[in-house]
Amino acid sequence: SSRSRCSVSLLLPLLGFIFVSLLIAAAAMVLSPSGNAIIQRRLGELRGMPEEKPAYSEAAVKTLKQLAKYAPQSPSEMGKLQKRLVCAGFRNKEAITIFMGIRLGVALVAFGLASSPLVGRPSVMLALGMAAVGYLLPSMALGRLAKKRQHRIRLSLADVLDLLVVSVEAGLGLDQALQRVGEELASTHPDLSEELRLVNLELRAGKARSDALRNLADRTGVDDLSSLAAMLIQTDKFGTSVAQSL
């Protein structure tokens, strides 16, 4: 009986590790949609059709939401986390809840792995330390994703400026030029193209151009875009030539 109890005690952490690993894999699939999924979403937006989520995505999101309820949260941290998610390109309203579930799930994976004999002699202190490291790893990965995206946007800014100058000199207004440049760079620079598309959506919704440009700088967190937005706002305010300013 003692041997069977020992086997059960060793099996439970392993089962927990397998379960949470599958959960994290499903969450990664939710946050990183395939190219076909992106194309279908864009087509749905153009047709005015609601986006249909696969069954596994809905199940993963629901599970992560339940898991996120047990994660520690603070208002100041949630604000910073929301901004970091937006900088990384995750603007879904459920992104912060999914991330909190992933963070707690990774901590549980690390704790279950350190508690099992797979990595050596089980230790409570080691398991707690691994859980703390696992809790911090998703935040580090998110920060890395945000920096990579900001770097891609920074590199694509030169092409955007060249096309803006050409478009404005050809007689287009600034709003039309931003829209045209966003469409032209959709395949080569998708990150900045998506941001310009959001700027045009805000302008169509009636938001002031200065506010839309400031939102662009805030969403990306790129200093060069902040300087560009400030220059365009200043140009619009004083009525100087946009082409010469660019």
Side-chain angles (χ1 to χ4, degrees):
S1 61
S2 61
R3 182 177 300 177
S4 62
R5 286 195 299 269
C6 181
S7 300
V8 171
S9 63
L10 294 178
L11 185 61
L12 286 178
L14 182 59
L15 291 177
F17 169 73
I18 295 174
F19 171 76
V20 179
S21 298
L22 293 175
L23 182 63
I24 300 305
M29 295 173 65
V30 173
L31 287 179
S32 302
S34 62
N36 290 333
I38 296 176
I39 293 174
Q40 293 297 327
R41 177 174 60 84
R42 294 287 177 84
L43 290 175
E45 291 178 356
L46 293 176
R47 297 171 183 170
M49 298 171 59
E51 179 184 358
E52 295 183 0
K53 293 183 179 180
Y56 68 85
S57 297
E58 294 182 356
V61 170
K62 185 177 180 180
T63 304
L64 288 172
K65 284 182 178 179
Q66 294 295 329
L67 192 62
K69 293 180 180 179
Y70 303 98
Q73 302 177 6
S74 65
S76 59
E77 182 187 9
M78 297 294 284
K80 295 179 181 178
L81 182 58
Q82 181 69 44
K83 186 174 182 180
R84 202 178 309 165
L85 285 168
V86 172
C87 289
F90 301 112
R91 288 184 289 268
N92 192 295
K93 61 181 180 179
E94 298 177 341
I96 189 167
T97 304
I98 294 175
F99 180 80
M100 296 297 292
I102 290 176
R103 190 158 66 173
L104 184 57
V106 173
L108 293 176
V109 168
F111 183 83
L113 184 62
S115 301
S116 67
L118 298 176
V119 294
R121 185 176 179 180
S123 171
V124 176
M125 296 302 297
L126 176 62
L128 292 176
M130 289 291 291
V133 173
Y135 190 79
L136 296 176
L137 279 179
S139 297
M140 297 171 61
L142 180 62
R144 188 172 181 82
L145 287 175
K147 288 183 178 180
K148 284 186 176 181
R149 187 171 185 269
Q150 290 172 338
H151 183 64
R152 293 194 301 267
I153 290 176
R154 192 176 293 109
L155 292 179
S156 62
L157 190 56
D159 293 338
V160 169
L161 288 175
D162 291 339
L163 289 178
L164 279 177
V165 171
V166 173
S167 299
V168 172
E169 289 181 345
L172 294 179
L174 182 57
D175 296 348
Q176 290 77 17
L178 289 173
Q179 180 180 358
R180 182 63 181 272
V181 170
E183 294 173 354
E184 292 292 333
L185 297 180
S187 58
T188 55
H189 302 298
D191 296 309
L192 190 51
S193 174
E194 182 71 15
E195 295 295 338
L196 293 178
R197 188 181 74 90
L198 290 176
V199 171
N200 284 286
L201 289 176
E202 290 181 345
L203 292 174
R204 290 180 183 179
K207 184 167 289 188
R209 182 189 298 167
S210 58
D211 294 335
L213 292 173
R214 289 192 187 96
N215 291 339
L216 170 65
D218 293 338
R219 282 196 307 269
T220 58
V222 178
D223 294 337
D224 294 337
L225 266 182
S226 300
S227 301
L228 176 62
M231 183 270 297
L232 291 176
I233 293 172
Q234 198 78 356
T235 299
D236 189 32
K237 181 178 180 181
F238 292 103
T240 55
S241 173
V242 176
Q244 292 180 2
S245 299
L246 290 172

